[in-house]
Amino acid sequence: MAAPKSCALWSYCGRGWSRAMRGGQLLGLRSSWSGAPLNARLLSQEKRATETHFGFETVPEEEKGGKVYQVFESVAKKYDVMNDMMSLGIHRVWKDLLLWKMRPLPGTQLLDVAGGTGDIAFRFLNYVQSHHQNKQKRQLRAQQNLSWEEIAKKYQNEEDSLGGSRVVVCDINKEMLKVGKQKALAQGYRAGLAWVLGDAEELPFDDDKFDIYTIAFGIRNVTHIDQALQEAHRVLKPGGRFLCLEFSQVNNPLISRLYDLYSFQVIPVLGEVIAGDWKSYQYLVESIRRFPEEFKEMIEDAAFTSLTSGIVAIHSGLNC
Ligand SMILES: COc1cc(O)cc(C/C=C(\C)CC/C=C(\C)CC/C=C(\C)CC/C=C(\C)CC/C=C(\C)CC/C=C(\C)CC/C=C(\C)CC/C=C(\C)CC/C=C(\C)CCC=C(C)C)c1O
Ligand SMILES: C[S@@+](CC[C@H](N)C(=O)[O-])C[C@H]1O[C@@H](n2cnc3c(N)ncnc32)[C@H](O)[C@@H]1O
């Protein structure tokens, strides 16, 4: 894997780039924060350094990936219906907003990591197709002397209908990808779309391949977020963009109470009733609570846009 490229906007990875963050060295320095004897502090920190969280549970780092895999393997078939039920369709608006913020140009090569059942990819294809068609219509109006055959040919070429844009959906979970592919077939998405099984922490792509990297509601589930950010940086072309849609913190105390009530009292019940899976939906709400503070810190140098009263946020960065 290539060494991280240096860039001011990616400097938040100054801590993230360093694998030492998870090892003893850097934590050794941090041990000066507590009053315990140095050796004991180093030992307990070494131990903590190999542990992580899975929702509210503390688990060895090497176990988190497997547990996350089981969650999405279990919910895959009911994933889309659950999202509509739990959010009353609001997740669709959040995903549309990600596309608005992205505003892909003709020919954009998008990598959607943790892309699951394809919601971001399908929105991308709709967006580039409708923009390309509008452009073609304008061109056709300008070249009114084209024959009907020439006009029909322009509309028939499917690859061309995207203006050279392309999206790769990459996800670690076979079952999520399977549901995504079935949806793509049923909804008629074929051209400009590829499905790749892969880990955000070790992407199966060459350096400098993509114009845009997206990750929607995915980063929270990744064990080594710093490693995933490093990989995003590696596969993005210079000048490429990183966009992350994820749950955030709710600061308003009243909304926060309602939010907690809904999250902990309603979501797992919906999970049990609709998907027959209380635990996976308990993990969802717990992982939201465990996530935001750390991530905000990790991307403190990147641009930050908050949406919907802080329930979700779009984090963006530029690769240079
Ligand atoms: C296993 O892992 C996962 C599984 C998945 O299926 C999905 C994900 C990743 C997530 C997504 C792709 C996004 C879609 C999923 C969600 C939004 C679910 C997560 C839910 C929360 C974080 C809770 C808060 C959700 C929202 C604010 C979204 C909007 C939802 C509503 C407005 C529904 C409210 C429902 C009612 C008013 C009717 C029924 C409610 C009751 C009987 C309970 C009592 C009602 C309340 C306590 C009021 C609820 C108030 C709020 C939620 C606060 C709203 C405040 C504002 C909108 C400002 C994955 O990782
Ligand atoms: C909540 S879903 C989000 C799916 C989709 N992006 C959306 O917005 O609906 C989270 C996805 O992250 C995937 N995932 C979890 N860990 C991953 C990893 N290390 N690498 C790639 N994908 C991962 C899961 O398999 C799952 O499909």
Side-chain angles (χ1 to χ4, degrees), residues 217-289:
F217 302 110
I219 197 89
R220 190 171 24 91
N221 301 293
V222 171
T223 308
H224 304 116
I225 292 173
D226 56 339
Q227 180 63 23
L229 293 174
Q230 191 172 327
E231 280 292 87
H233 181 61
R234 182 182 65 77
V235 300
L236 275 172
K237 294 177 189 169
R241 289 159 67 206
F242 168 86
L243 288 164
C244 171
L245 173 62
E246 192 46 88
F247 289 103
S248 187
Q249 279 170 323
V250 177
N251 294 321
N252 179 306
L254 177 67
I255 292 183
S256 176
R257 285 199 65 181
L258 291 173
Y259 181 77
D260 279 353
L261 193 66
Y262 186 67
S263 295
F264 290 102
Q265 307 303 325
V266 180
I267 300 275
V269 178
L270 284 179
E272 181 60 39
V273 172
I274 299 164
D277 190 340
W278 177 293
K279 278 201 157 170
S280 293
Y281 283 90
Q282 186 178 339
Y283 162 71
L284 162 64
V285 290
E286 289 181 359
S287 67
I288 293 171
R289 290 309 176 287

Side-chain angles (χ1 to χ4, degrees), residues 17 27 32 34 102 113 166 222 226 250:
W17 300 138
L27 289 163
S32 60
S34 100
M102 186 192 302
V113 174
R166 207 176 127 79
V222 171
D226 56 339
V250 177

Side-chain angles (χ1 to χ4, degrees), residues 175-191:
E175 297 307 313
M176 292 291 280
L177 289 180
K178 200 164 135 191
V179 174
K181 285 183 203 168
Q182 284 163 357
K183 249 168 78 180
L185 266 178
Q187 295 176 21
Y189 294 103
R190 269 186 307 149

